[in-house]
Amino acid sequence: MTRNIEKSIWIAVLIVLAAPIVYVATQPTSKEFWDSVASGLFSTAIALIAGIPSALWIDRAIKRREEKKRLTDEREREIEILELIREELSFSNTHHKRRKGVVGSPPVQPLKSDLWSAFTAAGKLNLIRNHRLLNRIASAYYVINIVKSIEDQAYRASRGVTVTFSNGKTSAQFLMGDARKLDALLSDSIQEAISDIDEELSQDDA
């Protein structure tokens, strides 16, 4: 119930209470009036005075319970998303460690960012209420996608027409060198995102 509705209810109660008082003050009354009409109005007024606060309290209690359930459900979905993102970041971090510093053949298996893309496309990221955490995760995936794109270009170049430059390097090797320049940034970004996710998830265990 809104405050306006509550005010309207109390105004109606006051009118009901005031009506018999006004009537008695302006009109002569008899014993029969008090035995029938007045006693009925008095009982109704007592019932309203006792019943309305109870009804308002019940309504507020129901709304508080519904709001609490809504927040709990949202938190459960947020935790599920964070756990899946953490798993994906850990997967990419594991594969990145194996290729770190390696400028030879481009990796066949790309870094993983499919879940992040799916959550973004589905508008699920608004469930992550900690904006600092969301920014940290987004920064990690930003670097992941850059490295992923460069390595994909290197893989395509290695499978296509080989172009060798004057220093003896191929286009694929040049691209792999560019990807490896981002190794430190990629490792730091992923580790910071995972650490912040763990910190957020630990709040529910406290």
Side-chain angles (χ1 to χ4, degrees):
M1 287 186 189
T2 64
R3 291 189 176 274
N4 289 334
I5 293 176
E6 290 183 17
K7 288 180 181 178
S8 299
I9 291 174
W10 284 112
I11 290 172
V13 171
L14 291 175
I15 291 173
V16 171
L17 292 173
I21 296 173
V22 172
Y23 181 82
V24 171
T26 58
Q27 301 293 330
T29 57
S30 63
K31 183 177 183 301
E32 288 77 13
F33 171 83
W34 291 108
D35 291 339
S36 58
V37 179
S39 61
L41 288 173
F42 182 74
S43 299
T44 301
I46 293 298
L48 288 172
I49 293 173
I52 289 176
S54 299
L56 294 176
W57 180 84
I58 291 171
D59 180 71
R60 292 193 187 101
I62 291 172
K63 281 184 168 53
R64 282 196 298 269
R65 186 168 63 250
E66 290 175 348
E67 178 66 9
K68 184 178 180 180
K69 184 178 184 304
R70 183 185 68 81
L71 292 175
T72 300
D73 290 344
E74 286 184 357
R75 179 59 175 170
E76 288 176 354
R77 291 197 296 273
E78 179 185 15
I79 290 172
E80 182 180 5
I81 288 173
L82 289 175
E83 288 176 342
L84 289 172
I85 288 175
R86 189 195 187 288
E87 185 178 331
E88 183 170 69
L89 287 173
S90 297
F91 179 88
S92 288
N93 194 42
T94 298
H95 284 272
H96 172 250
K97 287 178 179 178
R98 294 172 183 169
R99 66 186 70 169
K100 195 172 182 179
V102 178
V103 294
S105 300
V108 176
Q109 186 174 22
L111 299 174
K112 195 170 183 299
S113 61
D114 305 89
L115 275 175
W116 173 256
S117 299
F119 289 144
T120 302
K124 300 284 188 181
L125 299 183
N126 61 340
L127 289 170
I128 302 176
R129 292 172 291 184
N130 187 331
H131 292 173
R132 178 181 173 278
L133 172 61
L134 180 59
N135 179 63
R136 184 77 77 186
I137 295 171
S139 297
Y141 275 106
Y142 173 74
V143 183
I144 286 174
N145 286 328
I146 290 177
V147 174
K148 183 178 178 180
S149 175
I150 295 174
E151 290 181 344
D152 179 64
Q153 293 178 58
Y155 181 80
R156 292 174 186 274
S158 69
R159 294 298 185 270
V161 177
T162 302
V163 178
T164 303
F165 294 90
S166 57
N167 59 2
K169 286 188 176 182
T170 64
S171 57
Q173 290 172 329
F174 269 115
L175 287 166
M176 286 299 295
D178 291 339
R180 298 289 69 84
K181 290 175 184 177
L182 297 172
D183 280 344
L185 178 60
L186 180 57
S187 294
D188 291 345
S189 298
I190 292 177
Q191 288 298 336
E192 288 171 359
I194 291 175
S195 177
D196 282 10
I197 290 173
D198 288 341
E199 182 180 347
E200 179 68 25
L201 294 176
S202 68
Q203 294 181 11
D204 283 42
D205 300 329

